Amino acid sequence: MSYNLYLSVLLMAATCCSLVITYLSWKRRELPIAISYGLGLLTGAFYTFGYAFEIVSTTLDQIRFWLRIEYIGIPFGTILWFILVLQYTGRQKYINKWVIGLLMIVPMITFISHNTNKWHHLFYKSMTLDYSEGFPLAVLEKGPLYMLHVVYSYSFFVVGMVFLIQMFLKATPRMKKQIAFMIIGSWGPYGFTLVYLSGIIYMPIDISPFGFIFSGVFFLWGIYQFNMLRLAPLALQKVFASMQDAVMVFDLDNTLTSFNQSAVGVIRGLSHQWIGQPAVQLFNSYPVLLEKIVQGPSMASKIQLTDSTDEQFYNVHMSFITDIQHKPAGKMILISNVTEVVRSEERLRDNARQLSELNTFKDKMFNVVAHDIRDPLAVLINLMELMEDDMQDCNGDHEEIVREMGQQIQNTFILVESLLDWFRSQRGGIIFNPVERDLALAVQTSLRLLHVRSESKQIQIISEIPKDTYVYADKEMLDLIIRNLLSNAIKFTVLGGTIRLRTEHAEDKIIVSVSDTGEGIPTDQASTLLQEFYPISSMGTAGERGVGLGLTLCREFVRLNGGEIWFDSAPAQGSTFYFSIPTPPEVPTQLPARGGQR
C-alpha cells in the first residue's frame, strides 16, 4: 500500500478529532467563545477531509474538486481563530457585526477567486500533476491572490499570538497552563504551513493539514484537563477581580488555587505567593475561617476576622465547585463585609432600648401626673357641692359664680378621666371584662347623671329602648359610650330640643341610635370625626366647652366590644349616632340527667 493511503487515513482521523471538538463546542453554544471555537475547528475539518481525498485522487479534475472542498474552510479559519483569541483574552468589545464584516472581506475574495480561478488564474497561475512520488500530486504555481491570502492570514496569526503571550505573562500559574495549551495548539496548522512554504525542509506534499492532528491532541487534552470550552479566562478574571466581596478558591485538598483583589483587603498578608499552599499553613491567624474551609459547605454566618481595634464583621459562605459531571472539583469561600449592617443593627437595638425606656418613663410619669391632678379635683368637687349647699341655705348672691366654678371643675375632672381612659386603651391597660347587661338600665343610669345638664337647657330625652334588652359588653366601657354620646347630644342641641334613643336587632348584634335636634355636624368636620386619634372640640349651643376626646374613646371602646360606630348628620337638622354591640351568647340548653334505678 502506498504511503499516501496511510496519510489519508491519518487526515481522516484529524477530521474526526476536529468534528468531536466542534460537537463539544456546540454543546457549549451559550458561550460566544464556544461558537467561534467550534466554527474555527469546523473549517479545519473541511481542510483535512478534502486533503485526505486529494492525495489519493488520480486525475486533475478530482484534485480540483477536493481543493474546492478544502477551500470551504481554509479562507475563514484564521479570522475565526482571531475572533476566538479576542474573546479568550477579554477583548470582546472589539467584536461586532461591522468588524466581523470587514475581517471577512479578504477571506470572501479568497473563496470566490479560488472557485473562479479557471477564468482569471489570479489564485493559481497553473496546476499540473507530478508522479515522482509514485502517486499523482498537484503542483500549483501561486498567483497574487494566493499571496494576499497567505499574508493576510499570517498577519492576524501574529497579532493573535501577541495577545495570547501578553495574557500568558500576566496570568496566574494555574491559568498559564491553560493558556500554554492554547498557544501550542494554535501553532499546529500555522507552524506546519510555515515550514512547508519556507522550503527549509523538503516536503513532497503539503503538511499543513497534519498540523490539525497536532492541534487536536493539545486542544482535546486542554478541554479535558482545564475545561477550556467552559471558561473565557481573562473575561472571568476581570469579573472575579472587580467583585466587592472577597472570593478564595481551594482544591479538594484545601490548597489555595486563586483569589481576587478584595480578598487581599480581608486576609492580612495575602499575596500570589500563597497560591499552592495549604489552608492550614496559611490561615493560622484565622481559626474560625480555617474551620469553615475544612468543614466544607455551610450557610452564611457572621464572624469577626480582624484582630485590630477597628472591629470588622463578615458573612462567610462556603460552597463546592462542581465539574461537568456535577462532582466536587474544589471549594469556594465567599467573604462579604457586613460591618455597617452589624453596627446599624446595634444602633437600632440601642435606639429601641432607649425608646422602650422612654416609653416606660412616660407611662409612669403620665400616671403619676394624672392621678396627682385627679385626686385634688375630686376633693374640689366635693367642696363645691358643700359650698353650693351652704349658698342655698344662706340665699347668697354668688350662686351663679359658684355654679360656673363647679361646671369648670367638673369639666376638668371629665378631661382627666377621659385622658386616663384613652391612655389605658392605647397601652393595653384596660381590662376587658364583658358581661350580660340590660341596656335600658344602663341608659337610665346615664340619664340620671346628666339630668341637671339636660334640665338647664330644657331638653327632653326620650328613651324608646325596651326593658330586658340585653347586650354583652364591658360595663364601664358601655357606660362611657352611652354617657359620651348623650353628653354630646345635650351639648349640641338647642334650648328646648329633643334627644331620642332607639334600638333595633341585626343578626347577633343590637344597634343603638342617639338622635338629637341640634345644629348637625359641619361638613369640614364630618370626614375626620371618627378617624384614628383625631380629637375635635367644638363649642356647644350654650357655650359649653368639651375636651375633644369623647368620640375617640367611644370609637375605641365600641371596637373593643366587637361593634362599630357611625353617624348621619345634616346641618341645622340634627345628628344621629349609631353603634352596634353584641348580644349575649346563647347558652345551650342542658337536658335533665336520667336518674338510675334503685
Side-chain angles (χ1 to χ4, degrees):
M1 181 185 290
S2 180
Y3 74 88
N4 65 323
L5 294 177
Y6 292 106
L7 295 177
S8 179
V9 172
L10 191 59
L11 288 170
M12 289 301 296
T15 301
C16 292
C17 180
S18 297
L19 291 176
V20 168
I21 303 177
T22 301
Y23 170 72
L24 294 175
S25 300
W26 171 253
K27 291 180 67 175
R28 301 289 186 193
R29 59 187 179 276
E30 69 275 4
L31 299 173
I33 190 173
I35 297 174
S36 56
Y37 193 55
L39 290 176
L41 290 171
L42 185 61
T43 61
F46 278 106
Y47 190 7
T48 55
F49 179 74
Y51 198 65
F53 285 94
E54 178 189 339
I55 60 177
V56 294
S57 298
T58 57
T59 66
L60 202 56
D61 288 338
Q62 290 178 351
I63 291 175
R64 287 195 183 97
F65 172 79
W66 292 113
L67 275 172
R68 284 194 290 272
I69 298 298
E70 295 170 40
Y71 270 82
I72 294 175
I74 289 174
F76 308 102
T78 300
I79 296 303
L80 290 170
W81 175 85
F82 183 72
I83 293 172
L84 164 70
V85 171
L86 292 178
Q87 294 170 328
Y88 191 75
T89 57
R91 294 177 171 85
Q92 296 93 331
K93 63 181 181 180
Y94 300 111
I95 303 172
N96 57 59
K97 61 181 180 181
W98 299 108
V99 172
I100 294 174
L102 290 173
L103 292 176
M104 288 296 178
I105 291 176
V106 173
M108 287 302 298
I109 293 173
T110 300
F111 178 78
I112 294 171
S113 62
H114 179 271
N115 284 280
T116 59
N117 185 70
K118 62 180 180 180
W119 294 309
H120 51 73
H121 299 287
L122 293 175
F123 199 82
Y124 295 132
K125 293 180 180 180
S126 64
M127 182 183 298
T128 58
L129 291 178
D130 179 10
Y131 292 91
S132 60
E133 297 298 325
F135 55 89
L137 288 173
V139 179
L140 306 172
E141 184 180 356
K142 283 78 174 178
L145 292 181
Y146 181 89
M147 298 308 297
L148 173 65
H149 159 66
V150 172
V151 172
Y152 186 78
S153 297
Y154 273 90
S155 297
F156 279 100
F157 174 71
V158 171
V159 174
M161 277 295 157
V162 171
F163 290 160
L164 287 174
I165 292 172
Q166 287 178 342
M167 180 182 177
F168 177 83
L169 295 175
K170 296 178 181 178
T172 60
R174 183 176 177 84
M175 288 306 304
K176 283 184 177 181
K177 295 179 182 179
Q178 183 184 139
I179 300 168
F181 271 81
M182 276 290 295
I183 293 174
I184 297 172
S186 299
W187 263 102
Y190 295 98
F192 279 53
T193 301
L194 193 61
V195 171
Y196 172 70
L197 292 177
S198 64
I200 297 175
I201 301 176
Y202 172 72
M203 295 290 177
I205 62 173
D206 184 359
I207 62 172
S208 303
F210 295 95
F212 285 97
I213 301 174
F214 178 84
S215 297
V217 172
F218 273 86
F219 284 150
L220 279 177
W221 178 250
I223 291 169
Y224 173 77
Q225 186 70 23
F226 301 106
N227 204 6
M228 286 162 53
L229 288 180
R230 189 175 181 183
L231 301 177
L234 190 57
L236 287 181
Q237 280 185 0
K238 288 182 177 179
V239 174
F240 191 55
S242 63
M243 290 178 64
Q244 296 298 316
D245 295 334
V247 182
M248 305 179 73
V249 181
F250 301 83
D251 61 18
L252 294 177
D253 296 325
N254 298 324
T255 300
L256 181 65
T257 61
S258 183
F259 59 87
N260 65 352
Q261 188 60 35
S262 297
V264 178
V266 176
I267 306 300
R268 189 177 60 256
L270 183 62
S271 67
H272 287 288
Q273 296 178 350
W274 288 30
I275 293 178
Q277 300 297 320
V280 175
Q281 178 181 343
L282 299 175
F283 300 121
N284 287 329
S285 302
Y286 304 96
V288 177
L289 182 58
L290 181 60
E291 181 183 353
K292 293 282 185 182
I293 297 171
V294 174
Q295 74 182 10
S298 62
M299 298 299 292
S301 57
K302 290 188 183 71
I303 63 173
Q304 183 181 353
L305 291 183
T306 58
D307 54 1
S308 62
T309 55
D310 183 19
E311 294 183 346
Q312 295 289 313
F313 295 90
Y314 296 87
N315 263 349
V316 179
H317 178 75
M318 191 75 179
S319 62
F320 273 128
I321 301 172
T322 57
D323 57 17
I324 300 175
Q325 288 78 30
H326 302 289
K327 295 180 179 179
K331 299 177 181 178
M332 181 180 71
I333 188 167
L334 181 67
I335 308 173
S336 307
N337 193 321
V338 293
T339 304
E340 286 303 316
V341 175
V342 172
R343 290 175 179 172
S344 297
E345 290 176 352
E346 290 177 352
R347 285 194 294 269
L348 286 174
R349 283 194 294 268
D350 290 340
N351 292 339
R353 184 173 59 255
Q354 293 176 8
L355 183 60
S356 177
E357 292 173 355
L358 287 173
N359 277 333
T360 302
F361 175 76
K362 180 261 298 177
D363 292 347
K364 293 179 180 179
M365 181 64 69
F366 193 98
N367 279 323
V368 169
V369 172
H371 283 90
D372 285 350
I373 294 174
R374 182 181 183 277
D375 291 340
L377 281 175
V379 173
L380 284 174
I381 290 174
N382 292 331
L383 290 174
M384 287 302 303
E385 290 174 351
L386 293 173
M387 185 180 293
E388 287 176 352
D389 294 338
D390 292 342
M391 292 294 295
Q392 289 176 359
D393 294 339
C394 299
N395 295 322
D397 297 331
H398 304 290
E399 182 178 351
E400 184 177 349
I401 297 175
V402 174
R403 186 182 301 112
E404 181 63 25
M405 290 176 60
Q407 183 64 48
Q408 292 299 326
I409 294 174
Q410 186 72 30
N411 288 341
T412 306
F413 184 77
I414 293 173
L415 168 61
V416 175
E417 287 281 272
S418 298
L419 284 172
L420 282 172
D421 288 338
W422 177 81
F423 180 70
R424 286 196 295 269
S425 71
Q426 293 302 304
R427 67 185 184 95
I430 287 183
I431 300 175
F432 179 61
N433 184 27
V435 294
E436 185 176 333
R437 191 159 183 222
D438 190 337
L439 183 61
L441 292 178
V443 169
Q444 292 301 322
T445 301
S446 295
L447 290 177
R448 284 194 295 270
L449 293 174
L450 298 170
H451 176 70
V452 175
R453 290 184 58 192
S454 60
E455 282 291 322
S456 65
K457 296 182 71 174
Q458 300 176 12
I459 295 173
Q460 184 182 12
I461 302 179
I462 303 171
S463 176
E464 299 180 2
I465 301 175
K467 291 183 179 181
D468 299 330
T469 302
Y470 290 98
V471 295
Y472 191 68
D474 183 275
K475 178 182 181 299
E476 301 299 331
M477 293 184 186
L478 181 61
D479 288 342
L480 185 142
I481 294 167
I482 297 171
R483 187 166 63 249
N484 270 286
L485 292 179
L486 283 173
S487 179
N488 281 348
I490 294 171
K491 178 180 176 181
F492 295 108
T493 300
V494 296
L495 189 68
T498 303
I499 298 173
R500 195 177 302 272
L501 291 89
R502 298 187 179 92
T503 57
E504 62 176 287
H505 290 267
E507 297 181 356
D508 56 347
K509 292 183 180 180
I510 289 178
I511 298 175
V512 183
S513 63
V514 180
S515 303
D516 63 61
T517 57
E519 298 177 338
I521 300 171
T523 306
D524 59 338
Q525 294 183 6
S527 60
T528 57
L529 193 61
L530 290 178
Q531 286 186 1
E532 297 296 330
F533 188 68
Y534 195 87
I536 296 177
S537 178
S538 302
M539 186 174 294
T541 56
E544 304 100 320
R545 292 184 179 275
V547 297
L549 288 171
L551 285 178
T552 301
L553 290 169
C554 289
R555 184 198 65 233
E556 294 296 330
F557 290 164
V558 167
R559 289 181 181 176
L560 284 173
N561 281 275
E564 296 178 357
I565 186 169
W566 66 98
F567 67 90
D568 291 329
S569 182
Q573 296 182 18
S575 305
T576 302
F577 278 81
Y578 303 88
F579 69 92
S580 60
I581 207 78
T583 56
E586 294 184 2
V587 180
T589 304
Q590 296 183 354
L591 295 176
R594 180 180 298 176
Q597 293 182 352
R598 294 180 181 271

